Amino acid sequence: MTKVRKSNIELLRVLSMFFIVFSHVTWEGHFIYPKENVLHNTEVQFPWLFGQIGVIAFTLISSYFLSKKKKINKESIINLAKVTWFWSILILGITVLLKGNDLLGLKVFINSLFPVLRGTYWYVTAYIAMYMIMPYLNIVIDKLTKKEYITFLMILIVVFSIIPTFAGTTSLNSTNSSSSVYSLIIIYFLGGFIRKFESEFVYPVKKLTCLFIVSVLISYGILLLLNIANMHNIIDITGTNRLYGRFMRTNSIFQIISGTLLFLIFKNLEIRHNKYINGVAKNVFGIYIIHTNPIIMEVLWNRIIRINRYENSPYIILIEIIVAIIIFIICLLLEMIRGKFWMLCTKVVKKSN
């Protein structure tokens, strides 16, 4: 008998992916951030806060369910690689047919042909790497006592999150600005801890929601302080080092706290099976692949949306939300079409055999 999935976690998948899309509206917006516009700059940057919160919550979902597994499900990896490769090749093929030579440098071409190996989508490559070592991570989770596990988590968080966040120690970061398998492994052990001792993580949703809001406000306050420092030429918020990134990336202690609280909120919610929520949830990974494709990103952000035109608008947050919703819906529909097309092809192949 097939187990019916509740929709609380599936709704979190949807919300997490929307947060990721929302953050990219600002991240890829090429805003100028005039130094004197401190409050307005902070408002424009507000979506930054949600990107890695979404990544962390999304990863916690996987780690929560995978932490009890003994073996790798090869089909899961194949399906993930299949979706990634399908969209990479399709978008590359369409670009070639339309003679978009200005979009096809050698690096883009190779990255499109080998998206998983080349890390074209950092999360896909990092997730597959994490998934492949999952059985061994689970051995550690299974063997540790509660006291040992807490100590282990504290060491991981202090060394690979707190110190890099405040001290900017690059030797404790990954080579890709902490967006890598190393960061996901920390989140994996955190999810495994919640699963192993889940009876101790039953809290009132209202309390968790209040704590989540406070954590987001703290991050917002940090952004505000960074903009004030930028105004006084203490830091350059638009520089290549991007100091603000230390506080907004996957291994940031602030993002880890917010992402974990968000996961706990939905874990403790009671939402019975809803076929519409679950139907959307199973297609959200395709949304990530489509809208972060390097060719699509160039066309989408620099030639179509060009949201930096509205940087000084008093309605910039509303504009960012609307843009994120439109991108999310269009990519969702495209992924749903791909799913139907793939099922049709599979049926035709089976009948021919």
Side-chain angles (χ1 to χ4, degrees), residues 86-324:
F86 176 91
W87 284 115
S88 290
I89 297 301
L90 180 63
I91 293 168
L92 177 63
I94 291 173
T95 307
V96 171
L97 288 174
L98 296 178
K99 297 182 179 180
N101 297 330
D102 57 324
L103 297 170
L104 292 176
L106 180 60
K107 183 178 179 180
V108 172
F109 192 84
I110 294 173
N111 287 350
S112 297
L113 287 177
F114 308 101
V116 177
L117 291 176
R118 292 283 299 171
T120 306
Y121 311 92
W122 80 263
Y123 189 81
V124 174
T125 304
Y127 183 88
I128 289 176
M130 181 191 76
Y131 196 97
M132 291 177 70
I133 62 173
M134 171 263 294
Y136 307 101
L137 300 179
N138 289 350
I139 292 172
V140 176
I141 291 172
D142 186 57
K143 297 294 183 184
L144 290 174
T145 64
K146 184 180 177 182
K147 185 178 180 180
E148 291 170 336
Y149 208 148
I150 291 173
T151 304
F152 177 57
L153 273 181
M154 289 302 297
I155 292 171
L156 286 179
I157 291 171
V158 169
V159 173
F160 297 108
S161 176
I162 294 176
I163 293 177
T165 298
F166 289 99
T169 310
T170 55
S171 58
L172 299 179
N173 270 329
S174 72
T175 56
N176 189 25
S177 303
S178 76
S179 296
S180 77
V181 65
Y182 307 111
S183 299
L184 297 194
I185 288 174
I186 297 172
I187 307 305
Y188 189 91
F189 280 120
L190 186 56
F193 183 83
I194 293 172
R195 181 63 183 271
K196 187 170 183 176
F197 305 103
E198 62 181 333
S199 61
E200 301 178 30
F201 288 92
V202 180
Y203 300 110
V205 171
K206 286 184 179 180
K207 181 178 179 180
L208 290 169
T209 304
C210 289
L211 289 172
F212 173 73
I213 293 171
V214 169
S215 72
V216 171
L217 289 176
I218 289 171
S219 291
Y220 183 84
I222 291 171
L223 268 181
L224 180 62
L225 290 173
L226 290 173
N227 277 295
I228 292 172
N230 180 64
M231 181 181 67
H232 290 95
N233 297 314
I234 298 171
I235 63 168
D236 180 7
I237 202 167
T238 61
T240 53
N241 291 329
R242 290 187 171 187
L243 176 62
Y244 61 79
R246 281 173 22 198
F247 298 91
M248 307 303 158
R249 289 176 180 149
T250 319
N251 68 336
S252 164
I253 185 59
F254 300 101
Q255 304 303 84
I256 289 174
I257 291 171
S258 296
T260 303
L261 287 168
L262 184 65
F263 174 77
L264 291 174
I265 289 169
F266 280 85
K267 178 183 175 296
N268 287 287
L269 275 178
E270 280 296 327
I271 303 177
R272 289 190 292 181
H273 176 80
N274 183 298
K275 65 178 182 179
Y276 300 107
I277 293 174
N278 292 17
V280 172
K282 73 177 185 179
N283 291 290
V284 294
F285 211 93
I287 296 173
Y288 169 73
I289 300 300
I290 297 168
H291 93 280
T292 58
N293 176 276
I295 297 172
I296 293 294
M297 289 181 79
E298 169 62 27
V299 174
L300 186 66
W301 302 114
N302 299 331
R303 304 188 186 190
I304 298 176
I305 297 175
R306 293 185 294 140
I307 197 170
N308 54 356
R309 292 176 292 171
Y310 310 104
E311 180 171 0
N312 296 317
S313 169
Y315 307 107
I316 184 61
I317 280 290
L318 180 61
I319 293 170
E320 289 176 312
I321 291 171
I322 292 171
V323 168

